[in-house]
Amino acid sequence: MKKAILGVCAVTLALALAACGGAPASGSAPASQPASASQPASEPASQPGSEPASEPASEPAEADYTAYTLQFDVPEEFAQLEEPPEGVSAMFQAADGSSINLVIYENDGSLASDVKQEDLVSLLEESMQQMGLEVEVLNLVFETGKLGDVCPYYRIDYTVVLNDVVMGQTMMGINADRAYTFTDMTGDWGQFFVDAIASITPVAQ
């Protein structure tokens, strides 16, 4: 029962956080992708005695993330459910109830644009209150960046304590077109999820 409650909690939180994006796209796509956070462009070192250029070099045009979809590698210990919960495009589950949820959206820039940490925390708290659960959110870390220098993303990592049971979650909303939620029920999947997130890759459509 405890595992079932946690599973419902995980899916509900995933959908609540994914609600920061737009409407889900019709149909679903296969899962797969490496997450390489983009490195900030380094500024060229000025050479001694050199004069600054009179005009800055023109910046390269930004890649159009709407021309990309995403793929990622699912850990082999996670089996895909034939009928995922409503609102979830694909769900992969391990024997202990840990899961990876995938929600596919219209690729319209709504998943990672102007998302703020306080908005996501408010959604977390509201979704938990609506479930009538008393939970504690710990170790929350929020970041934004670009995946492969192409697709903007936000990421939130946190730990939920529910009835003395600890559940770790990582949620990512990525332009192109999807939101991922990685839920670790037992603490056994840390490296597996690190590798899966590192496999998230933009693929030109």
Side-chain angles (χ1 to χ4, degrees):
M1 174 62 74
K2 187 178 291 183
K3 187 182 292 184
I5 293 173
L6 285 171
V8 171
C9 180
V11 171
T12 303
L13 295 181
L15 292 175
L17 291 177
C20 279
S26 57
S28 60
S32 272
Q33 65 182 91
S36 71
S38 63
Q39 299 295 322
S42 57
E43 300 197 8
S46 57
Q47 297 179 359
S50 64
E51 293 294 325
S54 56
E55 292 186 11
S58 59
E59 294 184 4
E62 290 221 2
D64 179 10
Y65 61 78
T66 61
Y68 291 80
T69 186
L70 301 166
Q71 65 181 16
F72 83 109
D73 298 330
V74 179
E76 62 182 25
E77 292 82 0
F78 285 71
Q80 184 168 2
L81 300 186
E82 291 186 8
E83 296 185 10
E86 184 177 354
V88 176
S89 303
M91 183 171 180
F92 306 86
Q93 198 163 48
D96 65 0
S98 296
S99 63
I100 301 171
N101 297 330
L102 170 62
V103 181
I104 300 175
Y105 284 88
E106 296 294 345
N107 191 356
D108 60 2
S110 59
L111 279 174
S113 301
D114 303 321
V115 174
K116 296 181 175 62
Q117 176 176 330
E118 52 268 28
D119 298 331
L120 294 176
V121 173
S122 295
L123 279 171
L124 275 172
E125 293 173 344
E126 289 172 12
S127 64
M128 292 171 186
Q129 290 169 0
Q130 289 172 3
M131 287 185 287
L133 300 173
E134 290 192 13
V135 298
E136 188 177 6
V137 179
L138 305 171
N139 309 320
L140 189 145
V141 178
F142 175 77
E143 72 175 39
T144 60
K146 272 193 176 180
L147 188 67
D149 291 322
V150 173
C151 301
Y153 74 86
Y154 70 82
R155 172 174 172 167
I156 184 170
D157 296 84
Y158 55 92
T159 302
V160 174
V161 181
L162 173 61
N163 297 335
D164 297 324
V165 177
V166 178
M167 175 177 70
Q169 282 197 313
T170 296
M171 170 72 190
M172 293 185 72
I174 309 172
N175 294 336
D177 56 2
R178 47 195 83 181
Y180 297 86
T181 304
F182 297 83
T183 302
D184 190 344
M185 296 290 200
T186 58
D188 295 334
W189 301 103
Q191 189 58 51
F192 290 85
F193 286 172
V194 166
D195 293 344
I197 292 170
S199 74
I200 300 173
T201 308
V203 178
Q205 301 188 82

